[in-house]
């Protein structure tokens, strides 16, 4: 349970850092980043394993790089579920997914 909460916090920070780096990513209220982190954490917990299983052949062919596309799709899903969050393009969603992945890697390395 503690790990899930820490990952949600890392997701929140990732969304916030992406919004700071890319002004096109907008939010109507600061608490939308909190909700986005929670929603992305839940999507990663329940939907991501299914997507990874379905896309296993293409993930193996691309040596794991397709997981970035899966992460991007999860960021797009999160953006659609949070009404006040706006990420205008696939490229910015991809960049947001990369930033969130980096914040998660840093968080995991600090905790271990």
């Amino acid at each position: 349970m503690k790990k899930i909460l820490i990952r949600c916090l890392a997701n929140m920070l990732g969304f916030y850092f992406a919004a700071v780096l890319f002004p096109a990513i907008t939010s109507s209220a600061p608490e939308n980043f909190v909700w986005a982190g929670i929603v992305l954490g839940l999507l990663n917990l329940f939907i991501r394993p299914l997507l990874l299983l379905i896309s296993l052949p293409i993930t193996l062919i691309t040596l794991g790089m397709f997981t970035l596309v899966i992460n991007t799709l999860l960021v797009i899903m999160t953006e659609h579920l949070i009404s006040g969050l706006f990420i205008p393009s696939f490229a910015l969603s991809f960049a947001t997914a990369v930033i969130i992945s980096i914040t998660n890697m840093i968080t995991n390395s600090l905790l271990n």
Side-chain angles (χ1 to χ4, degrees):
M1 184 68 175
K2 186 178 176 183
K3 259 187 168 178
I4 295 170
L5 291 174
I6 292 172
R7 284 188 181 194
C8 287
L9 179 65
N11 292 338
M12 292 176 217
L13 288 174
F15 273 111
Y16 176 73
F17 291 149
V20 168
L21 287 173
F22 305 110
I25 298 174
T26 58
S27 174
S28 62
E31 56 269 0
N32 286 337
F33 296 124
V34 174
W35 289 113
I38 293 170
V39 168
L40 184 61
L42 291 173
L43 288 175
N44 280 334
L45 186 64
F46 294 112
I47 305 290
R48 188 171 190 257
L50 180 64
L51 291 175
L52 288 173
L53 183 65
I54 291 170
S55 66
L56 187 61
I58 195 166
T59 302
L60 291 174
I61 290 171
T62 61
L63 301 174
M65 294 303 289
F66 192 73
T67 55
L68 286 173
V69 175
I70 291 173
N71 292 343
T72 303
L73 293 175
L74 291 172
V75 167
I76 291 171
M77 281 187 207
T78 302
E79 185 248 338
H80 285 295
L81 291 172
I82 304 298
S83 62
L85 185 65
F86 180 67
I87 304 174
S89 68
F90 182 83
L92 285 176
S93 296
F94 183 82
T96 302
V98 169
I99 290 169
I100 291 171
S101 296
I102 291 170
T103 57
N104 278 318
M105 283 189 325
I106 291 170
T107 304
N108 288 336
S109 68
L110 291 176
L111 292 177
N112 293 334

